[in-house]
Amino acid sequence: MAQLLRLALVVAALLLLLVILFKAVNPPVTYTMWSEGKRLGSPVDHSWVDADDIAPVMLRAVVAAEDANFCTHWGFDMKAIRAAIEEGGNRGASTLSQQTVKNVYLWQGRNWLRKALEALLTPVVEAVWSKRRILEVYLNIAEFDEGVFGVAAAARHYFGVSAINLSPTQSARLAAILPDPKGRSASNPSNFVRKRSSQIISGAATIKADGRAACFEG
C-alpha cells in the first residue's frame, strides 16, 4: 500500500510539473500522435502555430462548435452535464479544457481511469493556464484527418492556406469535422457538414457579439 501511495504521489507530481511546463512550452508530441504515426507507419503531419498566427474566427468557430460557454466555466460545464444526464447520456458534455487535458496528457477511450485522471487534471490546467493558452494548445493537437494534427496542418491539407488566412467558412468547416475527423471532410463537405458549418458561423458571430469570446481574444 505504501509503495502504491508513493507511486501515485510521484505520478501526481510529474503531471503537475508538466502542467506548469506546458503553460509556456509547447507539447512536443502527444500519445495520440505517436500511436497514430505508428499505426500509419510514418510520421503524422503536424506543425505548431501560435494563437496570434491563427485566424481569430477559427478560435471563435471551435468554441462555438465545441464549447460555447468556454469563457464562463472553470473546466466543467455543469449546465451541459445536467442536460446530458437528462437526455440519458446520448449527448456530449466534454469541454474544450477536458478535451485538451485528454489529448495532451492522457489517451483516447472511455475507461474510468482516464476519465478520473481527466477530472483531476482539468481544474489544475484551468488554474494554471490562460483560456487563450488552452485554446491554442487544443487547436494545435486536435486531429483533423487521418494523420493530420493541428490547425496549421489542417489548413494546408484541406485548403492550401496558412492558419492565419482561414476564412469564416473554412474555419467553420474545420470546426464541424472535429467530432469525427476521419469520417468527415472539410474540403469535400457532406450536407451535414455544410449545415453544421452554417450553424457554427452564426454561433461564432454570436459569441463575439455577446462577449463570450472575451477570455481568449487577443
Side-chain angles (χ1 to χ4, degrees):
M1 182 63 72
Q3 289 181 334
L4 287 175
L5 179 59
R6 282 196 294 270
L7 177 61
L9 290 173
V10 169
V11 171
L14 177 60
L15 288 173
L16 179 59
L17 178 62
L18 288 175
V19 169
I20 296 171
L21 178 67
F22 290 162
K23 178 181 180 180
V25 177
N26 299 330
V29 69
T30 67
Y31 175 78
T32 302
M33 290 180 192
W34 173 82
S35 60
E36 185 68 356
K38 185 176 180 181
R39 184 184 71 84
L40 294 172
S42 62
V44 298
D45 184 6
H46 174 255
S47 58
W48 190 275
V49 60
D50 293 338
D52 290 344
D53 296 318
I54 301 173
V57 69
M58 181 69 232
L59 276 69
R60 293 192 295 271
V62 76
V63 171
E66 296 285 297
D67 188 2
N69 295 318
F70 179 62
C71 283
T72 63
H73 65 63
W74 48 277
F76 303 98
D77 189 340
M78 303 311 296
K79 183 177 180 180
I81 290 173
R82 286 193 293 270
I85 293 173
E86 289 173 1
E87 294 183 16
N90 291 323
R91 58 176 289 179
S94 182
T95 65
L96 286 170
S97 304
Q98 291 174 269
Q99 293 179 53
T100 301
V101 165
K102 177 186 69 176
N103 290 340
V104 173
Y105 299 104
L106 305 173
W107 60 93
Q108 306 300 313
R110 294 181 175 274
N111 64 75
W112 286 105
L113 175 60
R114 203 239 342 132
K115 295 297 290 184
L117 290 172
E118 178 186 299
L120 290 172
L121 282 173
T122 296
V124 179
V125 167
E126 278 274 345
V128 175
W129 297 7
S130 68
K131 289 284 190 176
R132 186 172 175 85
R133 177 59 173 171
I134 292 172
L135 195 54
E136 177 183 62
V137 173
Y138 174 83
L139 280 171
N140 273 286
I141 61 176
E143 186 176 16
F144 287 88
D145 198 358
E146 186 173 63
V148 179
F149 287 83
V151 67
R156 290 193 307 268
H157 174 72
Y158 284 114
F159 307 117
V161 301
S162 62
I164 193 66
N165 291 320
L166 285 165
S167 70
T169 297
Q170 290 168 340
S171 298
R173 287 186 180 178
L174 288 178
I177 67 172
L178 278 174
D180 184 17
K182 294 177 181 176
R184 301 176 186 174
S185 171
S187 58
N188 185 27
S190 63
N191 289 335
F192 172 83
V193 170
R194 289 180 185 276
K195 181 178 179 180
R196 179 65 177 139
S197 297
S198 295
Q199 295 170 339
I200 292 170
I201 290 172
S202 176
T206 298
I207 65 170
K208 180 182 181 182
D210 66 18
R212 281 181 292 162
C215 70
F216 60 84
E217 295 277 25

